Amino acid sequence: MIEWWKKRVVYQIYPRSFMDSNGDSIGDIQGIISKLDVLHELGVGILWLSPVYCSPNEDNGYDISDYRNINPEYGTLADMDELIAEASKRDIKIVMDLVVNHTSSQHEWFKKSCQGVEPYKDYYIWRKKPNNWTSFFGGKAWQYVESRGEYYLHLFAKGQPDLNYDNPAVIEEVKGIMRFWLDRGISGFRCDVINILHKTTLRNGRPRIALVGREHYLSQPGTHRILKELRKDVLSKYDCFTVGESVMVTPKDAKQLCNGELDMVFSFEHMNADCFFIKWLLRKFSPIRLYKSLAKWEKKVKWNTIYLENHDQPRSVSRFGDEKNYPIESAKALAVLLLTLKGTPFIFEGEELGMTNFDMTSMDQLNDVESKNVYSLARKLRLSENYCHKMIWQKSRDNARTPMQWSAQKHGGFTTGTPWLKVNDNHTTINFDCEHDDPNSVWSFYKELIALRNSTPALQYGTFKVSFMTKNVFAYERAFEGKKIGVIVNLSNKKQRVPCVGYTIMSNYGRTQLDCELEPYEAAVLRR
Ligand code: ISL
Ligand code: CA
């Protein structure tokens, strides 16, 4: 039996930026409900919502102050129930974000922990003396609290204190939260930074340029133990799936995390195709670096997630394509890659329109806590103003977070108010309304490709084999029960000679036949 989560295409919604239903400038749950028909038409079968729980928004919802309630900016529990029911009518399943490495510093647990009140005293990681660990968002990972005379650990922002997984009460709380939402009818969780839950020791870390201390918390035995327990006591009792966002995992770690723990993980290796180790160390995008990493994971891990974008990453057309000269061709070529590899594909809102990076003109337009921290840190390190700007412009998480471009109208039809983050000026041409009515648009291509995948077992769960790979071209084959499908993708702006001929099933150049030469950013699904 093939599990449903292997057959369906996932669509990630960043609720704050998706659709504002009441003109208060912020996307909301009713906005999502109003777009369900469109998502159904696109052909997606699962929606993953970035966090919609109560949050003071220091990290836009990834700092949760109440796990059992909806942020009033987004709606109510009744709205959430309505979304689950309305989605279900359209055979769409809802997956929520489970953010339990840390809570918000505004959570009741943390407030009581600061006062030393039981049973919350040891819900977090407190020490008289901080160690040398550094945070994901730059700077020290410890913060002093007067009322306790102690420091707490925060691997992310100050407002995101890490929970203490040596405390069994914390694990019980997490189980309760999971049951609460699964009982309301959701179909699983995307688990935020899930491979860093358990810190084996709090000893000083080896000196390095980023994430000092990580050898003490990446994919530790304690985390594997906790994940097995969550599976046994909660997840195994429901028809649901989990995808773990896992920091710096190797295929070996991923295999272990997917063995009686999670169903699949997000790995990040292929996101280094345009940087050295960490995203801020820029280097020119190399197609073969991307292909090699994708092929390696396809070979080594039984079931992968396939993604090119999410709410933390720049837009793929701006990054791996050519938003200036080949915006449509390259967006479609990336779609072919995303929807024909083996694994569950995750589309990030707007990717299906070919949305591009934020056209920001000044640092004041930034919202993201990471970008702001890194920018001020980099300036303190005396990196040139020029380099800092370039770095932020290319890599800021806000690139992915500008509001959805629904129409050519003011603010892209996202809101009747003033959007919380500026809408890209290119919404006049890149928008849902125009693309929906144009059979040659990026959106229409996605729709056709998803329909093809949804009706082709070889593409959904067939085997994967590399046919050939060059500096710019990736060709592979998918096969199931004797039925074969070929795929070829050119992620360069030059024509490429290839040893490949055949009839196409889909082509981003509208071709029915391929004859040894690929156009810039040409991609095709081939009969075999
Ligand atoms: O953004 C990153 C690099 O592009 C990562 O370092 C990211 O911070 C990391 O993958 C963890 O991300 C997740 O947890 C964070 C939250 O800010 C991100 O939005 C979320 O995806 C803390 O909860
Ligand atoms: Ca709203």
Side-chain angles (χ1 to χ4, degrees):
M1 213 262 305
I2 310 276
E3 299 90 335
W4 54 263
W5 39 264
K6 288 188 175 168
K7 297 184 200 163
R8 293 175 180 238
V9 173
V10 186
Y11 186 94
Q12 181 192 353
I13 291 183
Y14 196 68
R16 208 171 183 73
S17 299
F18 190 65
M19 180 65 202
D20 175 22
S21 71
N22 60 355
D24 70 352
S25 321
I26 294 169
D28 46 53
I29 295 176
Q30 284 301 330
I32 301 174
I33 296 174
S34 73
K35 298 296 182 187
L36 283 174
D37 283 332
V38 163
L39 294 168
H40 180 63
E41 188 187 341
L42 183 63
V44 300
I46 301 172
L47 300 182
W48 149 31
L49 307 190
S50 274
V52 287
Y53 316 93
C54 293
S55 163
N57 285 326
E58 184 166 335
D59 188 17
N60 281 346
Y62 284 89
D63 47 329
I64 299 171
S65 54
D66 181 356
Y67 287 87
R68 295 172 194 243
N69 223 327
I70 299 293
N71 186 337
E73 288 178 327
Y74 298 147
T76 61
L77 276 173
D79 290 323
M80 192 62 201
D81 290 342
E82 188 183 331
L83 172 62
I84 296 167
E86 286 299 317
S88 163
K89 279 188 201 158
R90 294 162 178 86
D91 190 27
I92 294 177
K93 296 177 188 275
I94 304 285
V95 163
M96 289 179 88
D97 219 307
L98 185 74
V99 187
V100 291
N101 173 67
H102 43 268
T103 70
S104 158
S105 55
Q106 300 304 308
H107 196 292
E108 280 307 309
W109 302 340
F110 188 71
K111 290 187 191 160
K112 294 197 170 123
S113 197
C114 285
Q115 303 305 324
V117 175
E118 292 294 5
Y120 305 103
K121 194 164 160 259
D122 294 325
Y123 266 40
Y124 298 85
I125 301 176
W126 293 98
R127 284 297 175 276
K128 288 275 176 234
K129 257 181 68 186
N131 60 22
N132 70 347
W133 295 8
T134 55
S135 115
F136 278 70
F137 294 157
K140 289 198 165 47
W142 293 88
Q143 179 66 25
Y144 186 68
V145 172
E146 197 74 60
S147 56
R148 261 185 87 134
E150 284 183 303
Y151 296 81
Y152 68 86
L153 175 70
H154 63 90
L155 286 181
F156 292 88
K158 281 197 187 90
Q160 294 169 302
D162 282 53
L163 284 162
N164 172 19
Y165 277 90
D166 277 323
N167 184 347
V170 168
I171 304 177
E172 291 311 312
E173 294 278 11
V174 171
K175 290 181 194 167
I177 293 164
M178 292 170 84
R179 290 191 190 104
F180 177 84
W181 291 104
L182 289 165
D183 287 338
R184 282 194 112 87
I186 66 158
S187 300
F189 296 103
R190 174 267 187 188
C191 310
D192 193 62
V193 291
I194 202 68
N195 67 324
I196 69 171
L197 295 187
H198 189 251
K199 285 78 180 171
T200 304
T201 79
L202 291 178
R203 284 204 295 270
N204 278 338
R206 272 203 299 279
R208 16 169 143 245
I209 46 166
L211 296 186
V212 176
R214 67 183 189 233
E215 64 273 27
H216 300 288
Y217 60 75
L218 288 180
S219 302
Q220 299 293 296
T223 294
H224 291 298
R225 221 171 36 238
I226 293 160
L227 292 177
K228 287 204 170 73
E229 183 176 333
L230 295 178
R231 172 140 216 159
K232 180 172 146 279
D233 292 354
V234 184
L235 296 164
S236 65
K237 314 257 194 284
Y238 297 84
D239 177 23
C240 67
F241 94 105
T242 47
V243 47
E245 187 208 25
S246 39
V247 183
M248 300 184 111
V249 276
T250 61
K252 199 171 148 230
D253 299 327
K255 270 197 232 162
Q256 203 178 346
L257 287 163
C258 296
N259 181 16
E261 298 177 18
L262 304 159
D263 293 308
M264 56 183 113
V265 300
F266 289 122
S267 59
F268 285 89
E269 192 188 284
H270 66 299
M271 291 286 118
N272 285 348
D274 65 350
C275 59
F276 295 97
F277 313 113
I278 59 168
K279 69 178 191 178
W280 305 109
L281 298 175
L282 311 176
R283 72 171 153 176
K284 192 170 171 284
F285 167 59
S286 141
I288 195 171
R289 224 180 290 135
L290 179 70
Y291 304 153
K292 273 190 177 159
S293 169
L294 291 170
K296 169 177 150 192
W297 283 75
E298 290 283 55
K299 225 164 75 197
K300 295 202 166 171
V301 178
K302 243 200 243 141
W303 195 259
N304 284 294
T305 57
I306 310 297
Y307 76 91
L308 297 171
E309 291 187 16
N310 63 39
H311 65 291
D312 293 334
Q313 301 292 334
R315 290 290 184 179
S316 57
V317 202
S318 308
R319 188 178 185 188
F320 307 137
D322 185 338
E323 67 164 66
K324 220 167 117 215
N325 303 303
Y326 297 97
I328 295 176
E329 295 83 351
S330 64
K332 290 179 181 175
L334 291 163
V336 169
L337 204 55
L338 179 64
L339 290 158
T340 62
L341 283 164
K342 185 181 174 200
T344 302
F346 286 71
I347 299 171
F348 178 67
E349 63 177 42
E351 191 174 6
E352 80 282 16
L353 300 173
M355 274 176 61
T356 61
N357 276 353
F358 195 0
D359 56 344
M360 55 178 124
T361 46
S362 93
M363 291 288 139
D364 308 335
Q365 290 167 322
L366 282 177
N367 168 276
D368 176 30
V369 55
E370 181 192 51
S371 303
K372 288 180 180 165
N373 281 1
V374 168
Y375 182 70
S376 68
L377 211 79
R379 290 296 291 147
K380 267 190 213 142
L381 290 172
R382 300 182 182 262
L383 292 179
S384 78
E385 182 80 35
N386 229 342
Y387 187 80
C388 291
H389 276 220
K390 194 169 152 201
M391 195 169 93
I392 298 291
W393 261 303
Q394 283 189 23
K395 288 300 176 82
S396 169
R397 305 195 297 180
D398 282 341
N399 281 315
R401 299 177 181 184
T402 60
M404 270 291 275
Q405 297 169 199
W406 292 107
S407 73
Q409 284 162 15
K410 198 168 171 203
H411 304 316
F414 160 72
T415 181
T416 53
T418 307
W420 69 278
L421 190 66
K422 187 182 111 47
V423 178
N424 196 308
D425 286 342
N426 65 18
H427 71 266
T428 49
T429 51
I430 301 176
N431 69 65
F432 171 77
D433 274 1
C434 295
E435 297 194 29
H436 182 258
D437 296 340
D438 173 3
N440 296 318
S441 69
V442 176
W443 189 87
S444 297
F445 193 77
Y446 263 89
K447 179 179 158 180
E448 202 182 324
L449 202 49
I450 295 170
L452 178 69
R453 185 182 176 104
N454 286 349
S455 59
T456 312
L459 284 180
Q460 287 173 302
Y461 39 83
T463 55
F464 167 90
K465 204 177 104 220
V466 176
S467 308
F468 66 89
M469 199 187 282
T470 68
K471 225 170 111 233
N472 295 309
V473 180
F474 189 18
Y476 47 91
E477 218 168 63
R478 305 287 314 276
F480 181 72
E481 289 182 347
K483 286 217 169 66
K484 282 189 182 168
I485 297 228
V487 178
I488 188 161
V489 180
N490 169 21
L491 286 186
S492 81
N493 59 5
K494 306 237 160 46
K495 291 190 181 196
Q496 303 288 324
R497 297 286 303 172
V498 289
C500 194
V501 281
Y503 292 104
T504 68
I505 301 172
M506 275 189 73
S507 148
N508 67 341
Y509 272 77
R511 286 214 254 182
T512 52
Q513 212 177 331
L514 212 71
D515 49 7
C516 296
E517 190 164 75
L518 294 175
E519 293 295 319
Y521 295 100
E522 180 160 3
V525 183
L526 300 161
R527 286 180 211 288
R528 277 283 166 263

